[in-house]
Amino acid sequence: MTQQGNSSPASASDLPDDQHLIETTVSSEILAQGKMLTVRYDQARLPNGTVSGREYVTHPGAVVVVALTEEGGVVLERQFRYPLQQVFIELPAGKIDHGEPVLQTGQRELLEETGYRAQEWVKLGIQHPCIGYSNEVIHIYLATGLALGEHARDIDEAMDVFVWPFARVMQAIENGEITDSKTMGAMLLAERYLRQHPISGLSV
């Protein structure tokens, strides 16, 4: 995607070589192994030659979907997130199964969680939500041409599915109703894309 505005970020050719920043792995061990996440502790050699510990979580990756109705509404979910003991407003999303293409993950998660299928899919970009302590990558898609059917949620999933106008979602991000980072990042990319590729009847 191109950068808008009066100034542009430096291109790759404008930046110095990365070699003076690179850390190399000396050793690695698993501290904890869960069903989805692994906690690792590595010893890493820093650019200055010293060795330091690096504790981090490995994650299979995920897909988040900005699904738009014909009227320009955004499909959202409300669900309880146990680590924070709080109900959050989010876009449909889910982890990538082993060997699963990322687009297929998005299509599967949208259908399973909300009951919606989409005819058109556009890859908007990726997000690294937790760069200080996880290797998680979230792939972001815009989905249009929706048709509503029956959801197929897992037995351990409980959520409300609803639709808000696009502008209402952006307002909710601004006023703090929506604080989920993947939803915030995906909506920002969707807003930018839709300004460049307008959809009839949808104002962003």
Side-chain angles (χ1 to χ4, degrees), residues 78-88 90 156 158:
R78 291 178 70 249
Q79 60 179 317
F80 183 79
R81 291 300 192 175
Y82 188 86
L84 287 162
Q85 295 288 297
Q86 183 178 337
V87 172
F88 287 87
E90 309 172 46
D156 61 351

Side-chain angles (χ1 to χ4, degrees), residues 4-44:
Q4 294 178 331
N6 296 326
S7 62
S8 298
S11 67
S13 61
D14 296 328
L15 297 173
D17 183 86
D18 291 343
Q19 197 58 43
H20 66 295
L21 302 173
I22 300 299
E23 301 176 1
T24 56
T25 304
V26 175
S27 64
S28 182
E29 62 176 309
I30 294 176
L31 298 181
Q33 179 70 66
K35 292 183 178 180
M36 179 179 69
L37 304 176
T38 302
V39 181
R40 305 192 70 95
Y41 182 81
D42 291 5
Q43 291 288 319

Side-chain angles (χ1 to χ4, degrees), residues 84-128:
L84 287 162
Q85 295 288 297
Q86 183 178 337
V87 172
F88 287 87
I89 299 173
E90 309 172 46
L91 292 168
K95 74 175 183 66
I96 302 168
D97 288 343
H98 180 70
E100 185 178 38
V102 293
L103 175 57
Q104 184 176 324
T105 300
Q107 294 169 333
R108 174 179 56 76
E109 289 290 345
L110 181 64
L111 177 62
E112 287 180 358
E113 293 186 353
T114 72
Y116 281 100
R117 297 180 187 270
Q119 293 182 344
E120 302 294 332
W121 292 79
V122 176
K123 180 75 174 285
L124 297 179
I126 64 172
Q127 180 186 27
H128 298 97

Side-chain angles (χ1 to χ4, degrees), residues 46-59:
L46 310 186
N48 65 7
T50 61
V51 174
S52 183
R54 295 288 184 260
E55 188 175 300
Y56 62 101
V57 176
T58 64
H59 187 285

